[in-house]
Amino acid sequence: MDHQSTKAEEKLEKGEKLALEGKYESAADYFDDAVELTFKFPAAHQNKQYMDLAILIDSILQDAKYYIANEQFPEALKKIEKAESKLNNMDGELIQKLIEDIVTIRNKAKVAQIKANINQDSSISNLKSVLWQIESIQNEKAQDMATTIQEQIISHAFSNANEALKQNQFSIARNYVDEGLRYAPESQKLQSLKTTIEKEKAAFETAQQNRIEQAMIAAEEEHKKNKNDAVEIVKIENTLNKQNNLVVRGKIKSVATVPITSVSLSYNLLNKNGMVVETNEIFIYPDTLYPDEVGQFEFTHYDVHKALKVKINKVKWFLN
């Protein structure tokens, strides 16, 4: 190989190295030098053509970067598509690098577009809608943004679920957690809260069942009391009036928890030997006694003219 060819080869190698570093203008100069050193060097001619293409694509991508910086994302994506179309059906190491550059710029445009979207609307519903988009972008910045969005969704779901849980709204709390896990399935925070919700729900239902059973027992005991022990005798006395007739009078108090009606009292009149002289039943007034209300009774025995002992036999009533 002659001296000219050797120098041309060196220029070619240097140009190829610069091209792969993205220094297309400098690489083109080296390829031009190689062509000038020897016209019988087709690789230099071909690489020079590739540099013209690379410089064009780089120029288009610079335009795309300008649009991205100014948040003109549709225009930026059109430029990126235009650059990509220039490489159809082409291959090689330099082409692969240009494709990687295009992918990088496209991802940058998508991330910037999503970020601008979030800045305009940072609601949880919007964050959920963009999470799938950001997760599909394979670069570190996008993944960091996705992690940040997930954390916001987790925090929102946890806060709402926790509030619902405090009010024993277990289904609502579980729905918040399940929705959050759709977007952050690996969240230990939400998975732990879901377990807590199930345990709290079981404990609440058990306690509620116990309360129902206790209430039923209490209601049954109350009914028995109202049915069998609803009144107490406050006072009963018997005296002879001015006409020498025996008067039996007294007071009865309702200790029931519901109104009672038609309260009547049966009693015997006993002589000093304990023998029954007369039996009587008398109704209390007022007809209806409310809880803790006192009713009265009074009856004059016109055919009894001496003091006798009064013995109560039975008190009857009806429950309202």
Side-chain angles (χ1 to χ4, degrees):
M1 182 180 295
D2 59 26
H3 179 68
Q4 291 285 91
S5 296
T6 300
K7 289 189 69 174
E9 186 71 33
E10 290 174 356
K11 294 286 186 181
L12 181 66
E13 290 178 2
K14 182 66 175 176
E16 288 175 346
K17 182 179 179 182
L18 290 170
L20 293 176
E21 292 174 358
K23 300 174 181 178
Y24 306 123
E25 296 281 358
S26 297
D29 290 341
Y30 276 94
F31 295 142
D32 284 339
D33 291 344
V35 171
E36 288 179 6
L37 287 167
T38 173
F39 292 102
K40 298 178 180 181
F41 206 166
H45 285 282
Q46 184 180 26
N47 284 357
K48 177 63 169 61
Q49 292 175 348
Y50 272 116
M51 284 311 95
D52 292 340
L53 176 62
I55 290 169
L56 173 61
I57 289 176
D58 186 62
S59 175
I60 295 172
L61 294 181
Q62 290 303 319
D63 290 341
K65 289 179 181 179
Y66 170 82
Y67 286 126
I68 292 170
N70 288 276
E71 297 189 356
Q72 294 174 274
F73 303 112
E75 290 80 0
L77 291 172
K78 286 178 183 177
K79 288 291 184 181
I80 294 167
E81 289 174 5
K82 180 179 179 180
E84 191 173 37
S85 68
K86 300 291 184 183
L87 300 178
N88 286 343
N89 302 317
M90 298 181 71
D91 57 19
E93 193 172 3
L94 176 62
I95 300 303
Q96 184 59 40
K97 182 194 180 305
L98 291 171
I99 291 173
E100 290 173 0
D101 289 344
I102 290 171
V103 169
T104 298
I105 296 299
R106 178 182 283 116
N107 286 342
K108 183 178 180 180
K110 288 181 177 179
V111 170
Q113 187 174 27
I114 292 172
K115 188 174 181 180
N117 181 342
I118 293 172
N119 288 338
Q120 291 179 357
D121 181 5
S122 60
S123 66
I124 290 298
S125 60
N126 190 48
L127 291 179
K128 289 176 180 177
S129 70
V130 302
L131 180 60
W132 308 124
Q133 302 173 39
I134 200 72
E135 285 183 327
S136 67
I137 302 172
Q138 299 302 312
N139 70 26
E140 186 175 349
K141 190 171 183 180
Q143 297 309 307
D144 288 344
M145 187 183 295
T147 299
T148 299
I149 292 174
Q150 277 188 325
E151 289 172 353
Q152 289 178 265
I153 292 172
I154 290 169
S155 178
H156 181 266
F158 186 92
S159 177
N160 285 334
N162 190 67
E163 191 62 32
L165 179 58
K166 287 193 296 185
Q167 299 174 28
N168 296 323
Q169 296 175 327
F170 303 107
S171 295
I172 294 175
R174 188 168 51 219
N175 288 342
Y176 276 121
V177 170
D178 288 341
E179 179 69 6
L181 287 171
R182 281 185 57 203
Y183 299 92
E186 303 302 320
S187 172
Q188 293 184 356
K189 186 176 182 180
L190 292 181
Q191 290 173 351
S192 176
L193 183 58
K194 186 172 184 177
T195 300
T196 299
I197 291 169
E198 295 305 323
K199 288 181 179 179
E200 288 294 310
K201 180 175 180 290
F204 178 82
E205 289 175 347
T206 298
Q208 189 176 47
Q209 183 60 37
N210 289 338
R211 287 193 295 271
I212 291 172
E213 291 174 359
Q214 291 298 320
M216 291 176 65
I217 292 171
E220 181 63 24
E221 290 176 350
E222 180 180 310
H223 180 72
K224 287 181 180 179
K225 177 180 175 63
N226 291 336
K227 183 178 180 182
N228 303 317
D229 194 21
V231 299
E232 64 180 26
I233 305 300
V234 177
K235 180 177 70 172
I236 186 168
E237 60 184 13
N238 62 93
T239 57
L240 293 174
N241 61 15
K242 293 179 181 179
Q243 289 76 37
N244 205 33
N245 298 318
L246 182 66
V247 179
V248 178
R249 64 170 61 90
K251 295 181 179 180
I252 287 180
K253 179 181 179 181
S254 169
V255 292
T257 59
V258 296
I260 57 176
T261 62
S262 302
V263 183
S264 66
L265 180 143
S266 298
Y267 60 88
N268 292 332
L269 295 177
L270 308 177
N271 61 22
K272 60 182 180 180
N273 296 319
M275 300 295 292
V276 176
V277 175
E278 190 168 342
T279 297
N280 188 36
E281 180 178 10
I282 184 172
F283 283 90
I284 309 302
Y285 62 90
D287 178 70
T288 299
L289 291 183
Y290 293 91
D292 295 324
E293 189 175 8
V294 175
Q296 301 181 55
F297 60 91
E298 181 177 319
F299 188 84
T300 301
H301 292 269
Y302 292 100
D303 55 346
V304 178
H305 305 292
K306 58 182 177 178
L308 295 174
K309 182 179 179 180
V310 179
K311 181 180 180 181
I312 296 174
N313 289 330
K314 189 175 183 180
V315 179
K316 297 188 299 182
W317 59 88
F318 293 99
L319 299 177
N320 266 10

